Amino acid sequence: MQQTATTPFHLDRLDPTLMNSTARSFADRMAARRSVRQFSPEPVPLDVVEEAVRAAATAPSGANLQPWRFVIVTDAERRRRLREAAEAEEIEFYRRRAPQEWLDAVAPMGTDWQKPFLETAPVVIVVFEVHQGPHTPKPYYVKESVGIAVGVLITALHLSGLATLTHTPSPMKFLNEICERPTEERACLVMPVGYPADGVTVPRLTRKPLSEVMVRR
């Protein structure tokens, strides 16, 4: 087996005090992040969105195959079609397929089948998993790899001053047609991106304390 070429790696070694303040500042900024469902139609700098996607594409992936595709949708007509198709699936899901346990769990969020943010937000990013196809190799750990990349994308957007939301209509095959993507690409997530609408509010939530989510051994 041919050995992969290597390159030198350097990571700045910070003073422990600076390390702590950097980590704390980052955690504080991310603690202010919230999912937004009401967006301003005001345009956003597309180069900022593209840089956020570039950051997401640096995420680790199984065998470094980078099995992701980020489709940036800005065309108003395409966003309208996306909303209509998503809401058609969501109506069926909320009224027929969703278990009551799930409906009870999301009730405090105030979500329902209506998804106006897919049309109001000036940008919608549709994230696809790239599976084996005519021009793509068999990937490994696809969901894990794409999940990590999406986490980086959410972080990059937030730190750049843009709001977003992770939306998962089910099923999602309609996204291949709307985004004109081949069958080996499978949609896994839809993310409206933009500025929050004026006067927007979000549910008052609490996050679990560190002592509950972290274990030392």
Side-chain angles (χ1 to χ4, degrees), residues 67-71 125-131 142-151 153 165-176 179 181 184-191:
W68 42 63
R69 190 82 69 232
F70 303 90
V71 179
I125 302 175
V126 184
V127 184
F128 288 83
E129 301 172 354
V130 180
H131 292 262
V142 178
K143 292 189 180 301
E144 293 87 345
S145 301
V146 174
I148 296 169
V150 167
L153 178 57
L165 167 75
T166 53
H167 172 51
T168 53
S170 178
M172 299 192 202
K173 289 184 178 180
F174 68 88
L175 290 165
N176 286 75
C179 296
R181 303 310 306 164
E184 64 266 23
E185 296 185 14
R186 304 174 192 171
C188 67
L189 203 65
V190 179
M191 297 173 59

Side-chain angles (χ1 to χ4, degrees), residues 62-81:
N64 192 38
L65 292 176
Q66 305 160 60
W68 42 63
R69 190 82 69 232
F70 303 90
V71 179
I72 300 176
V73 182
T74 57
D75 178 72
E77 174 61 18
R78 203 178 294 260
R79 284 187 283 117
R80 182 192 64 77
R81 290 171 53 206

Side-chain angles (χ1 to χ4, degrees), residues 97-193:
R97 299 199 306 267
Q100 189 59 46
E101 182 181 21
W102 186 89
L103 293 173
D104 293 341
V106 299
M109 307 291 184
T111 62
D112 57 24
W113 63 267
Q114 300 179 83
K115 309 299 176 186
F117 48 74
L118 295 176
E119 189 173 3
T120 305
V123 176
V124 175
I125 302 175
V126 184
V127 184
F128 288 83
E129 301 172 354
V130 180
H131 292 262
Q132 188 170 15
H135 307 291
T136 52
K138 178 182 177 180
Y140 302 93
Y141 302 104
V142 178
K143 292 189 180 301
E144 293 87 345
S145 301
V146 174
I148 296 169
V150 167
V152 175
L153 178 57
I154 292 170
T155 302
L157 290 170
H158 175 68
L159 296 182
S160 299
L162 294 174
T164 189
L165 167 75
T166 53
H167 172 51
T168 53
S170 178
M172 299 192 202
K173 289 184 178 180
F174 68 88
L175 290 165
N176 286 75
E177 178 182 352
I178 291 175
C179 296
E180 301 178 40
R181 303 310 306 164
T183 55
E184 64 266 23
E185 296 185 14
R186 304 174 192 171
C188 67
L189 203 65
V190 179
M191 297 173 59
V193 177

Side-chain angles (χ1 to χ4, degrees), residues 29-42:
R29 292 187 69 184
M30 292 309 299
R33 187 209 62 79
R34 295 299 301 274
S35 295
V36 169
R37 290 176 171 80
Q38 292 85 37
F39 289 84
S40 165
E42 180 184 353

